[in-house]
Amino acid sequence: MSLPILWSFRRCPYAMRARLAIASAGIACELREIVLRDKPAAFLQASPKGTVPVVVDGTLVIEESRDIMLWALEQSDPEGWLDMPAEGAALIDIADGPFKTALDRTKYAVRYPDVSVMDERAKAAAFLTDLEARLIDTSFLFGDSPRLADMAILPFVRQFA
């Protein structure tokens, strides 16, 4: 039986969080690192949209990082990442939406000449301030151990830093 294939790019925050969940779940897979400016034909055949991460497990193709995280953790969740309040999903939504938008407009400001970098940085900082406030009394967002929200958000905080 062949291993699932994970198409990835080392520095991509979406791919990072997929790899974190796969590692936590203890799922063996074939890691195929790609260069985004030179995408292999096999990768594009599996996922014509051409973005990482992508998991191919037999006929199953998963093209979104959050779905990959859930796929892995639903198979095995030894650290209890899925034991998280609904508020955790809302935080991931903010990280994936407004925070990621502000992050991109800050980091890649030259691509957004009509946008105020300082305004976008302030938007991102407001989200980080909220996360920091949640961490005053606990090591992780929802207690003393990591949950899905912690690990789904972590790569984007790293990228913003």
Side-chain angles (χ1 to χ4, degrees):
M1 186 165 161
S2 61
L3 294 174
I5 297 166
L6 172 63
W7 295 94
S8 184
F9 176 64
R10 182 180 38 200
R11 293 188 326 260
C12 171
Y14 295 102
M16 285 178 188
R17 72 186 190 180
R19 290 192 311 268
L20 286 168
I22 289 169
S24 176
I27 295 174
C29 65
E30 179 184 335
L31 179 62
R32 293 189 183 173
E33 288 283 343
I34 66 170
V35 177
L36 295 176
R37 67 180 173 275
D38 187 23
K39 298 172 185 172
F43 168 66
L44 292 172
Q45 182 177 358
S47 179
K49 74 177 190 156
T51 61
V52 293
V54 173
V55 164
V56 178
D57 188 9
T59 59
L60 176 68
V61 177
I62 309 169
E63 298 177 295
E64 297 295 329
S65 62
R66 212 160 152 181
D67 294 337
I68 292 169
M69 293 182 86
L70 294 172
W71 165 82
L73 296 169
E74 286 168 354
Q75 292 181 61
S76 175
D77 186 16
E79 297 178 281
W81 288 12
L82 293 175
D83 183 21
M84 176 183 73
E87 184 182 1
L91 280 177
I92 298 169
D93 290 341
I94 294 168
D96 288 358
F99 178 72
K100 179 65 168 128
T101 298
L103 184 161
D104 287 345
R105 290 177 175 184
T106 301
K107 184 173 180 180
Y108 308 110
V110 70
R111 297 179 190 171
Y112 305 96
D114 297 334
V115 175
S116 166
V117 175
M118 295 309 291
D119 289 348
E120 295 303 315
R121 185 175 184 81
K123 289 175 189 175
F127 179 65
L128 296 176
T129 299
D130 178 54
L131 295 180
E132 188 68 25
R134 294 169 183 274
L135 296 169
I136 288 174
D137 296 322
T138 63
S139 299
F140 296 94
L141 294 172
F142 298 102
D144 293 329
S145 60
R147 302 289 185 241
L148 181 66
D150 296 282
M151 297 308 172
I153 295 169
L154 171 71
F156 298 99
V157 173
R158 176 209 160 270
Q159 185 182 35
F160 187 76

